[in-house]
Structure formats: C-alpha cells, structure tokens
Amino acid sequence: MMDSKTMLLPTCGFYFLLLFLRVAYGDISYSFPEEMKRGSVVGNVAKDLGLDRGALSNRRARIDTDGTEKRHCDINLNNGELIVADRIDREGLCGEKASCILKHELVLENPLELHRINLHILDINDNSPQFKEDLINIEIRESADRGARFVIEEAHDADVGQNSVQQYSLQNNDNFILAADGNTIELVLEKELDREKQEEINLLLTALDGGSPQRSGTVVIHVTVLDANDNAPVFSQAVYKASLPENSPVYTVVVTVSASDADEGVNGDVTYEFGHVTDDVKKIFSIDRKVGEIRVVGIVDYETTTSFEIRVKAKDGLGLSSYAKVIISITDVNDNAPVVSLKSLTNPIPEDTPPGTEVGIINVQDRDSETNRQVRCSIQQNVPFKLVPSIKNYYSLVTTGQLDRELESDYNITIIATDEGSPPLSSSKTVQLSVADINDNPPVFEEQSYSADVTENNKPGSTLCSVTARDPDWRQNGTVIYSLLPGEVNGAPVSSYLSVNGDTGVIHAVRLFDYEQFRSFKVHVTARDNGSPPLSSNVSVSVFVSDVNDNSPQILYPAPEGNSFMTELVPKAAHGGSLVSKVIAVDADSGQNAWLSYHIVKSTDPGLFTIGLHSGEIRTQRDISESDSMKQNLIVSVKDNGQPSLSATCSMYLLISDNLAEVPELKDISYEEKNSKLTSYLIIALVSVSTFFLTFIIIILGVRFCRRRKPRLLFDGAVAIPSAYLPPNYADVDGTGTLRSAYNYDAYLTTGSRTSDFKFVSSYNDNTLPADQTLRKSPSDFAEVFGDCDGSPEVGTCYI
C-alpha cells in the first residue's frame, strides 16, 4: 500500500469589504455576507446619499425590488439605516455564480427621485462538499498497466470561491494515488492489480473546501478487479450546446448525446446518465439511458433560469466511463404580462387642485426580457388625468384639467400596460380617486323672489311661506342656514313681524297683522352655508296682508247718538224726490268689505221718506201734505258687504216747517230720546255768552255784508265735512257711502252745542228744491223760537 497524498486545486481568491461604493446616477452598493440575521444593519442610506433623516419620512422613502416581488432589505425611516428584512441564501438566489448581486431601488417622492441599490451577497462557508453517490463502483481488469487512470466524478460544493472544493485526499493504500487536473479527478494505478490476491479494494476519498472552518465530504470507492476492459466510452463532442424556448411542452427533445466504445460485447455496451446535477435540473430534464436523448419533463421558465449546464456520464458494461458537458440556453418567450403597481396615491384630492398636479406614482414591471420587456402605459377613459413617464419604469399620474366635485365626485381610472412582445400582452389596474369638496358654491334659492299672502288678524306663529335654497357642496359646505336680514317695517324691527326657521326656511308670523295699518311689506332672507369661509345669498320675500271684515261702518254725519243732536228742516212745499239730507259713512276695510248700503229701519211716517241704497241720500217719496207730522224721526242702518256683514245705525231728526215759529216745543225734540239737564245748563250759558258779544258780532257781520252783495254759501264744493270727521286712511269711493260730488250743501250749525244743532239744506241739483223754496227766515223770525240770532244773512248760524 502506498502513502496517502493530498492534492491542492488551483483557486482564485477574492476579498469583499463591508463598505458602500458611489455609483453614477445616484447608485450605491453594499457588500455583506449571506445568512445575516433579520434586522442586521447593512449601511446608512441617508448618510451615503447626503439626505436629511427627516426627508426620508417626509418623502415617503421605500425600497422597491427590481423584477421580483421578494424584498430582502428594508429601510428604517427614523435613522436611514438599510437593514436585512428576510433570510438571504446566496446559493438559493445565485446558485454557482461567482458574483451574486441583488438589485433594489430606493424611491423618494415630492419630487420623485430614484436611486439604485446594488447588494453584493458574499458567500460564507455554510455548505459541505458532497459527492453524487455514497459509493462509487469501479471495475478494473487486472491486466491494467501501471499508470492507468480512472476518472472519478468530483464532489460538489454549493459555495463558491475559496469556500468551494479546494482539495481531495485519498486514504492510504498500496495500489492507487490521486491525480487532479482542474475539475478532473483521476484514480492512478501505481501498482498492478492481482485479482488472485485481492478481488475488491475499498478506498475512502475525501473532498475539502477552503472555508474557515473547513468542511469536508467523503465517498467510498469500491474497486472490483476484473479481467481486462481496454477501452472506455468516448463522446462525439466534449461540449454539447442547445437552445430551448421557455414553456416548451413536456417530452420535447432538447439534445441527444452520443458516446462510442471500441470494445465488443458487454464491454462495448454504453449507457448514459446525468453526472452530479441539482434536484431542480432533475425536475426539468431527463436522459434516456440507452439513446442519450435529453428531454423536457418539467416547466422551463426563462425568468427563473436562463441556462443550464449538465454533466453527462457514459459508462460501458464493465464500468469504464467518460463525461461530456451539455449547455442548454433558454430563450425568452413573451409569456409574462406587465404588472402595474400603485406605489403612491393622494386620495382624496381637493377639487381646486390645479392642472398638472401629481396625485400618484405608478410602477410597471415585465419579467420578460429585451423587446418583450418594453411596456407602454395609457389611460383609456375620458378623465382629467394622464400618465407622464418619469424615471425608468415609473409614471406620474397628474391632473390635466380643473376638477369639480359637484359634477364628478369619484373617478375610476383604468391604467392599461401593453408590452412590445409578439403577440403583445397587456394588463390593467383600476385606481379609484375621490374628489374632496371645497366651499365653492353659495346657496341658490329655487325662486328669484317669494311672496306670501296672509289675512289680517292672523294667529301669531302661523306659517306664511317657505323658502328653499340648494347648495351643491358636500356636508357642512352644503348645509344651509336661513336667517332674516336686519331691517325695519313701519319703523319696527323685522324680527318683530316675522321669524324664519334656520333649518327648514319656514317663515312664521310673530305678531298679528292689521290690514288697516299696512297692506304689504318686504323682507330679505339670507341663506348661508357652513363652509369656511361661509358663502351666502339673499332673496326678497313680499308679504301681502288681505282684508277681513273686522271694521263696522263709521257714520260721519249725522253724528252718532250721544255725541250731538242734529236736526234738519224740510220745507212744507217740498215735492216728491226732493233731497232732504244725506247720511255720510265710511268703512276702514277695503273692497267688498267697504261697500256700504243704507236702509231706513224705522221712521215716523214710513211712506214719506226714502234713502238711496248706496248714496245715503234722504229724499221725499211724495209731496209734503198738511196732514204730515211736523216732527219726523228716521233711524238709518248702514251695512257693509262683508261676510258676515257689520252695521251701524244713526237717528235723523227732521222738522217739516217753513218757519221756526211754527215749532212750539223745539226742546221736546232734543229730549225725546235723552233728557239731560246738563244740556239745558249749556244752552243758558251759551245764550249768555252770545248776548255779551252780540254787538261785536253784529258790527262784523254788517261790514262783511256791505262788502259782499250776494249771499255766499258756507261750503263751495261737495258736502263739506270738516277734516276732523274723517279719520286717516279713509278713501272717498264713489258709491260706497260718501256724498256724490253732484250735490253741494251749506251747513248752518250752532257751535259748541250738543243737542241743538240745525242744518239748513241748500242744493245745486235740479232735483232738489229750488233756492227760493228753501227755508228762508229773518233773524227776527228765528229769535221768536230760538232767542237772539245774528242778523247777518251770510253766516246763517243761530245761537240758543
């Protein structure tokens, strides 16, 4: 047996430092070993990019991956440190690649900024060398010459570089030594075999890596000594290359390997099998042991692996073998639709957002390569938004027009991404955006003005009308509150007449209205919203008070009973139809409620006098006869046309006489209804005063009589009623109870007397008595009955 020898394989050492490297266009790189614990700090991004730590949070900094959904690192927004977020297994990510680089992106918003972060994953010695089999069987003929070489499949270590397999050692034996040349390991026969002495030899082969601590793997080589097999199989090519489209169907033939053996019989029968390959390769490919066809048995995905390198072993019947390499390149097929990701969205957005404002950031990824990876994005709907290409595969969603929540409050924006593959693939993503309301609309009343009709004597608190204003804004911006604008009505505040419900706009009467005080008035109502600042609008409300029959007729002449005593003289020669007197009345109401009618309800001689239904004129129905009573008493009723009708009565005292001397007991008339001693006292006092000034009055009347040759009537116009008789707001309506302008009267009344007033009627109407037939008496005639009188025919007023 020979001493064991250890062979060192050539290695290429490289060192990785835990530091960052500045890269053009804002790229930074970090190197760190695999299998670091979660939360381990890789580096400080904020410091390395020269950013303020507070800017990371304000600008929504985040880590995005490039082409994969798994994120291995994350950023601490408080201090800017880049930390490990998930387990990082270099062998699982990069396989046997010497360099393992993970590409991440740091995205900053406002403004949008993109920095590439390259993570160099350093290998650690966490995998031991492994042989494909636990036992390697080799059959060697005893006729083999010294120096004969037998190829042994090398061990595999998932680590790379210095941590991969660096050397092999063979257990001490008498016949074999180990020779290594690159990836080829050969068992060299140093001493001829003698089958008769030893038929089987077991050798322990150990593979060692260069890591620290060092790891190893072993395999037992079982050598069976046979008779001579002189030739090993020989492949037609040392390296086979093939191209395979991804998604190729199962059982597709990728490539066929071929090896020949110069021996005959069992020694020349060649079989094929895979050398040392990973389980992933075994799931995708298989090899026909007899033919050497490599077929697809699983799913081929370009995005997972772009190429495969497979060692194929050809072995003859007696155990001699050789190896070839098969390289399969996977070609890309457009089998991945673009993926649209919403990275940032401002939602809701105010409706006063100006055009060109960025409201969202969209990222588009396509796992395919080259042309199949090129993506175009668009928005199909007619919406006031568009996509603006930004950095790399990022798009900004910006507004293109003015937004109006009252017209459109929500938008469903569908973003369609289409790649350049053949045929092209596309995908879409719908982004929902809401428009936030601002107070940009004042309340608007449904009508330009409002009117309300209310009857007088209404109940306080009754509803007059309702005003309504609409505000298309939302929530408090659209909540309308009603109020009355300050003002005055007839000198009083508006609030003393009306009130408005702030929530409903219903207007109520605060007080009772009187048509005779005011018939209409106007107020203004304000509708204000609850926005900030609030908006408002005004509308006018006209209130019209309608009349009700709440006022009885008021008799102006003759004066009501108890106030004065009026007596009319009727000439004995009066013919039928002659105007004797007139009842004058007014009504404070309006319209039909003020239409007055006159009726004689009681008279001394019912057939002697009649009264005009609407004029109130008292006329004789026939000629006066000697048999008629000198004293005539009429009770006149004045009614209005309201519902129900209201009325008033008065008494009219008439004397049929041409001479006051014919009236023996004038006092009796004044005391027929009411006997008052006070009246007598007043008469006596009046006579005394009149006598005292008699001389003075006669002189004045004489002077005036000399200046005026013809008598002048006391009143020149229509029936002259002193202004004191007429209360305010009364209208002289033709045919409603006031005296028609066709008649004119002279009234000769005593002054200051309550019970002894007389009126002498004179008419300018053709139907009345002629002027020469009216009662004409000299002062001496009147003195016989009433006492001293002024002798002036112009004044015609007597004092009793």
Side-chain angles (χ1 to χ4, degrees):
M1 301 292 294
M2 299 180 61
D3 293 337
S4 174
K5 297 183 178 179
T6 300
M7 305 299 297
L8 297 177
L9 297 179
T11 62
C12 180
F14 54 90
Y15 300 93
F16 294 92
L17 300 177
L18 293 177
L19 50 80
F20 71 91
L21 300 175
R22 288 275 185 168
V23 183
Y25 307 108
D27 291 359
I28 54 176
S29 297
Y30 296 97
S31 298
F32 59 95
E34 61 175 328
E35 303 294 348
M36 291 184 68
K37 293 182 179 179
R38 289 182 178 87
S40 300
V41 178
V42 175
N44 194 303
V45 175
K47 180 179 178 181
D48 298 338
L49 292 177
L51 298 175
D52 187 11
R53 292 182 179 179
L56 295 177
S57 178
N58 295 335
R59 297 180 63 182
R60 301 179 185 176
R62 62 179 178 274
I63 298 295
D64 280 354
T65 60
D66 188 4
T68 178
E69 296 181 356
K70 190 171 184 180
R71 184 172 56 190
H72 298 91
C73 289
D74 207 343
I75 187 171
N76 188 327
L77 298 180
N78 295 326
N79 53 26
E81 291 179 344
L82 187 68
I83 59 176
V84 176
D86 198 359
R87 176 176 178 265
I88 299 177
D89 181 17
R90 192 204 66 83
E91 289 75 32
L93 294 174
C94 302
E96 297 181 358
K97 294 180 181 179
S99 175
C100 184
I101 299 176
L102 300 180
K103 296 180 179 180
H104 286 42
E105 292 175 345
L106 174 66
V107 181
L108 301 173
E109 298 182 12
N110 298 321
L112 181 62
E113 190 175 336
L114 189 66
H115 297 276
R116 182 183 295 276
I117 299 177
N118 295 324
L119 303 178
H120 294 265
I121 309 303
L122 305 181
D123 183 49
I124 63 173
N125 192 26
D126 57 343
N127 292 281
S128 300
Q130 290 183 346
F131 290 92
K132 178 185 176 183
E133 300 171 348
D134 295 333
L135 178 65
I136 299 176
N137 292 311
I138 300 178
E139 294 178 346
I140 303 176
R141 292 204 175 262
E142 61 179 341
S143 59
D145 297 331
R146 182 178 179 183
R149 293 175 177 265
F150 304 92
V151 178
I152 304 298
E153 185 174 357
E154 73 275 11
H156 176 75
D157 194 325
D159 296 324
V160 296
Q162 189 68 24
N163 295 325
S164 64
V165 177
Q166 300 295 314
Q167 60 184 7
Y168 294 90
S169 64
L170 184 64
Q171 180 184 6
N172 294 331
N173 63 89
D174 297 331
N175 299 99
F176 296 95
I177 61 173
L178 198 63
D181 183 11
N183 291 328
T184 303
I185 304 172
E186 294 177 321
L187 199 62
V188 181
L189 184 61
E190 189 177 39
K191 182 180 178 181
E192 291 82 357
L193 299 175
D194 187 354
R195 181 176 176 275
E196 288 70 28
K197 291 184 179 180
Q198 189 175 8
E199 294 182 1
E200 296 180 350
I201 302 173
N202 290 323
L203 304 174
L204 182 64
L205 178 63
T206 302
L208 301 173
D209 61 24
S212 178
Q214 192 176 50
R215 293 176 177 268
S216 63
T218 60
V219 65
V220 175
I221 302 174
H222 179 74
V223 179
T224 302
V225 181
L226 302 175
D227 288 335
N229 181 17
D230 300 338
N231 298 287
V234 177
F235 281 96
S236 60
Q237 298 176 217
V239 178
Y240 293 85
K241 293 184 179 180
S243 179
L244 178 67
E246 65 173 327
N247 300 329
S248 294
V250 177
Y251 303 125
T252 299
V253 177
V254 181
V255 67
T256 300
V257 297
S258 176
S260 60
D261 195 316
D263 296 326
E264 293 181 355
V266 177
N267 295 332
D269 292 337
V270 179
T271 59
Y272 305 92
E273 62 181 36
F274 288 137
H276 183 82
V277 294
T278 63
D279 292 337
D280 292 337
V281 174
K282 293 178 181 179
K283 292 177 181 179
I284 299 175
F285 301 103
S286 68
I287 188 169
D288 189 291
R289 291 181 58 84
K290 297 295 184 182
V291 181
E293 290 180 345
I294 298 178
R295 295 176 178 269
V296 175
V297 294
I299 298 175
V300 181
D301 187 6
Y302 174 86
E303 286 70 41
T304 302
T305 306
T306 60
S307 65
F308 294 91
E309 185 174 315
I310 305 173
R311 288 177 61 84
V312 179
K313 177 181 179 181
K315 183 176 67 172
D316 61 20
L318 295 180
L320 295 181
S321 61
S322 61
Y323 292 87
K325 182 184 295 184
V326 178
I327 298 176
I328 302 174
S329 298
I330 308 300
T331 58
D332 185 40
V333 174
N334 191 28
D335 60 339
N336 290 281
V339 178
V340 181
S341 302
L342 180 63
K343 296 299 183 181
S344 176
L345 183 65
T346 301
N347 193 19
I349 54 177
E351 60 179 320
D352 60 347
T353 299
T357 302
E358 182 182 85
V359 298
I361 297 175
I362 308 298
N363 178 259
V364 182
Q365 296 283 349
D366 194 318
R367 297 182 62 194
D368 296 320
S369 63
E370 298 180 355
T371 304
N372 296 332
R373 187 184 181 92
Q374 302 301 317
V375 179
R376 292 176 289 105
C377 288
S378 63
I379 298 176
Q380 298 295 331
Q381 302 100 320
N382 185 21
V383 293
F385 300 92
K386 68 176 181 180
L387 287 177
V388 177
S390 185
I391 303 173
K392 197 182 175 184
N393 50 354
Y394 284 86
Y395 293 83
S396 296
L397 182 64
V398 299
T399 59
T400 59
Q402 190 65 45
L403 304 177
D404 189 348
R405 191 205 66 85
E406 289 68 44
L407 295 178
E408 192 74 33
S409 60
D410 295 283
Y411 291 94
N412 289 326
I413 305 170
T414 301
I415 300 172
I416 299 177
T418 306
D419 61 27
E420 299 290 342
S422 179
L425 299 178
S426 63
S427 62
S428 63
K429 184 175 185 64
T430 299
V431 178
Q432 294 183 344
L433 270 177
S434 299
V435 181
D437 184 52
I438 64 170
N439 194 25
D440 57 345
N441 290 283
V444 178
F445 284 94
E446 292 183 347
E447 300 181 18
Q448 293 183 351
S449 62
Y450 292 83
S451 62
D453 296 316
V454 58
T455 57
E456 63 174 330
N457 302 327
N458 60 294
K459 293 183 179 180
S462 59
T463 300
L464 301 186
C465 67
S466 176
V467 297
T468 303
R470 306 293 182 187
D471 193 322
D473 292 324
W474 194 47
R475 289 187 176 176
Q476 66 179 18
N477 294 332
T479 301
V480 180
I481 300 174
Y482 303 93
S483 62
L484 288 173
L485 275 180
E488 293 186 350
V489 175
N490 292 341
V494 170
S495 58
S496 65
Y497 287 86
L498 301 176
S499 67
V500 62
N501 188 305
D503 297 325
T504 64
V506 177
I507 298 177
H508 302 276
V510 175
R511 59 185 287 181
L512 179 146
F513 297 145
D514 188 357
Y515 176 83
E516 286 69 44
Q517 291 184 2
F518 52 86
R519 300 184 180 184
S520 65
F521 61 92
K522 183 182 290 186
V523 298
H524 290 86
V525 177
T526 296
R528 175 182 58 83
D529 59 30
N530 268 337
S532 180
L535 301 178
S536 63
S537 60
N538 301 332
V539 71
S540 62
V541 179
S542 299
V543 180
F544 299 96
V545 182
S546 58
D547 184 45
V548 297
N549 193 27
D550 60 342
N551 291 282
S552 300
Q554 182 177 352
I555 300 175
L556 303 180
Y557 181 82
E561 290 187 55
N563 293 333
S564 65
F565 180 75
M566 308 296 293
T567 304
E568 301 278 358
L569 288 180
V570 180
K572 293 180 179 181
H575 298 290
S578 298
L579 178 64
V580 173
S581 183
K582 179 180 175 73
V583 176
I584 302 174
V586 292
D587 195 315
D589 295 321
S590 66
Q592 67 177 10
N593 294 329
W595 296 351
L596 304 181
S597 60
Y598 301 83
H599 310 273
I600 297 176
V601 297
K602 185 179 180 182
S603 65
T604 303
D605 189 350
L608 182 56
F609 298 100
T610 183
I611 189 169
L613 180 63
H614 298 295
S615 65
E617 295 175 347
I618 301 176
R619 295 178 181 272
T620 58
Q621 295 191 69
R622 57 179 175 79
D623 295 343
I624 302 296
S625 65
E626 292 294 336
S627 62
D628 292 328
S629 174
M630 180 183 296
K631 302 175 184 178
Q632 295 288 332
N633 183 14
L634 303 179
I635 298 177
V636 178
S637 173
V638 183
K639 296 183 179 180
D640 59 27
N641 198 35
Q643 292 296 330
S645 177
L646 301 178
S647 64
T649 60
C650 66
S651 296
M652 178 69 72
Y653 300 96
L654 303 176
L655 291 177
I656 302 176
S657 176
D658 292 331
N659 191 340
L660 288 177
E662 298 177 358
V663 186
E665 295 178 356
L666 183 62
K667 293 181 181 180
D668 294 342
I669 299 176
S670 63
Y671 289 95
E672 284 181 359
E673 297 290 334
K674 194 179 294 184
N675 187 9
S676 176
K677 295 182 179 181
L678 178 61
T679 303
S680 300
Y681 297 151
L682 292 176
I683 294 174
I684 295 172
L686 180 60
V687 172
S688 301
V689 174
S690 300
T691 304
F692 181 78
F693 290 102
L694 181 61
T695 304
F696 178 74
I697 295 174
I698 293 174
I699 294 174
I700 294 176
L701 294 176
V703 173
R704 297 183 66 182
F705 178 79
C706 293
R707 292 182 180 179
R708 304 177 65 177
R709 292 295 182 181
K710 59 181 178 179
R712 182 178 61 84
L713 296 176
L714 187 61
F715 301 102
D716 297 325
V719 173
I721 303 300
S723 61
Y725 278 93
L726 297 173
N729 299 331
Y730 285 88
D732 185 7
V733 182
D734 187 26
T736 62
T738 58
L739 182 61
R740 295 179 182 273
S741 60
Y743 300 99
N744 298 280
Y745 299 86
D746 289 335
Y748 301 88
L749 308 174
T750 60
T751 60
S753 174
R754 299 182 57 201
T755 61
S756 302
D757 296 341
F758 298 92
K759 179 176 181 184
F760 301 90
V761 180
S762 176
S763 172
Y764 297 99
N765 189 284
D766 293 339
N767 294 329
T768 62
L769 293 174
D772 56 357
Q773 295 181 15
T774 57
L775 183 60
R776 292 179 179 271
K777 294 293 180 179
S778 66
S780 61
D781 296 333
F782 287 97
E784 294 177 2
V785 180
F786 298 103
D788 279 343
C789 294
D790 192 339
S792 174
E794 179 180 353
V795 177
T797 304
C798 296
Y799 298 88
I800 298 176

